[in-house]
Amino acid sequence: MEDAAELLELVHRISHRFRRGYRARLEPLGLSPGQARALKVLMEAGEPLRMVRLAEALRIAPRSVTPVVDALEESGLVRREVDPANRRSTLLVLTDAGHAAFGQVKKVRAEVAAELFAPLPPERREALRELLALVDEP
């Protein structure tokens, strides 16, 4: 059991290092990690999303997604549109600036990850990825 606790502590520390480095690199872009995650979800959806779907994908309460979307909209990265299928719903659409920002976010994420995992040769990275994927399964 002590081994599991030690693994948990290592994962926590590595996660903290990643978040700290990621936040520091996103700051000059005017983005928070939460906003970057929202851009990622919107980009990967490939179509406009309702706010409630974005909240579900981010695993946050629907009321918590509003400030994230507000900030993205104020930055010109997202715009709200009325859902033609249900005029009471709002769709979130990435703007051209949002697409460009996502490209920067993707680059920042890759840079931080490369630095974090630099001590591992490629075959050890793959082994770690496989092990973590097993742990991530429900």
Side-chain angles (χ1 to χ4, degrees), residues 35-138:
Q35 293 164 354
R37 284 181 59 226
L39 284 176
K40 181 179 186 292
V41 169
L42 290 166
M43 185 71 177
E44 290 176 351
E47 63 184 9
L49 289 181
R50 290 183 178 163
M51 287 183 59
V52 70
R53 297 279 300 143
L54 177 60
E56 289 169 2
L58 294 173
R59 297 180 182 164
I60 61 176
R63 70 182 178 280
S64 298
V65 82
T66 301
V68 173
V69 172
D70 287 347
L72 291 173
E73 187 176 38
E74 287 171 20
S75 298
L77 305 178
V78 169
R79 76 174 174 274
R80 289 176 166 106
E81 293 182 356
V82 175
D83 184 347
N86 179 352
R87 298 197 51 81
R88 291 179 295 158
S89 293
T90 301
L91 292 176
L92 302 173
V93 179
L94 275 179
T95 63
D96 289 342
H99 284 273
F102 176 71
Q104 292 175 305
V105 165
K106 194 173 175 181
K107 182 180 174 197
V108 163
R109 191 174 179 87
E111 289 170 355
V112 173
E115 287 175 13
L116 187 64
F117 295 110
L120 299 176
E123 65 276 1
R124 303 283 303 265
R125 287 183 196 191
E126 180 57 24
L128 178 59
R129 189 202 60 74
E130 290 172 3
L131 292 169
L132 291 173
L134 284 173
V135 173
D136 190 40
E137 289 180 5

